[in-house]
Amino acid sequence: MSEKTLFQKILDQDIPSELVYQDDQCGAFRDINPQSPTHLLVVPREPLPGIADMEERHETLIGHLFRIATEVARREGLDHGYRLVINQGEHGQQTVPHLHIHVLGGRPMSWPPG
Ligand code: 5GP
């Protein structure tokens, strides 16, 4: 079996962190280096390296990840809105090669992103 990714270790609680949500397909936890007052990561248990690795068979899973992102945003009280972000690859500034959706909220965001 291949070695677990960092985010698999967090979802499995090999690395302690506060899981704000978990089910059989995914989990959500707080980013270690928050970029906004609320900054969560929604991560599938399947260690897809990035959104570019998505195949047709992942359509239901990816839909689930987005639904859970909206659910944790609601639970965090982000009633004024929030931003969902997926960084892909080098130019997308992805640093952890295990797919994740950033849930950023608690302050107004700017546009365009950097
Ligand atoms: P990316 O740059 O790949 O889109 O996002 C990776 C995110 O994972 C970053 O926002 C980074 O702060 C977060 N991160 C990296 N290592 C850890 C960790 O060990 N624990 C947690 N909770 N977040 C991490």
Side-chain angles (χ1 to χ4, degrees), residues 23-24 26-27 41 46 59 72 82 84 86 92 94-95 100:
D23 63 28
D24 60 337
C26 72
L41 301 173
E46 180 178 342
E59 284 181 3
V72 294
Y82 49 87
L84 304 182
I86 296 176
Q94 182 181 6
T95 58
H100 46 284

Side-chain angles (χ1 to χ4, degrees), residues 66-100:
F66 276 98
R67 188 177 69 73
I68 296 309
T70 66
E71 172 65 21
V72 294
R74 191 186 58 75
R75 290 188 193 180
E76 293 283 320
L78 301 179
D79 303 333
H80 295 286
Y82 49 87
R83 184 168 289 173
L84 304 182
V85 172
I86 296 176
N87 295 323
Q88 170 60 45
E90 186 188 347
H91 279 193
Q93 294 271 313
Q94 182 181 6
T95 58
V96 176
H98 181 151
L99 175 63
H100 46 284

Side-chain angles (χ1 to χ4, degrees), residues 44-46 54:
R45 293 193 185 280
E46 180 178 342
M54 178 182 177

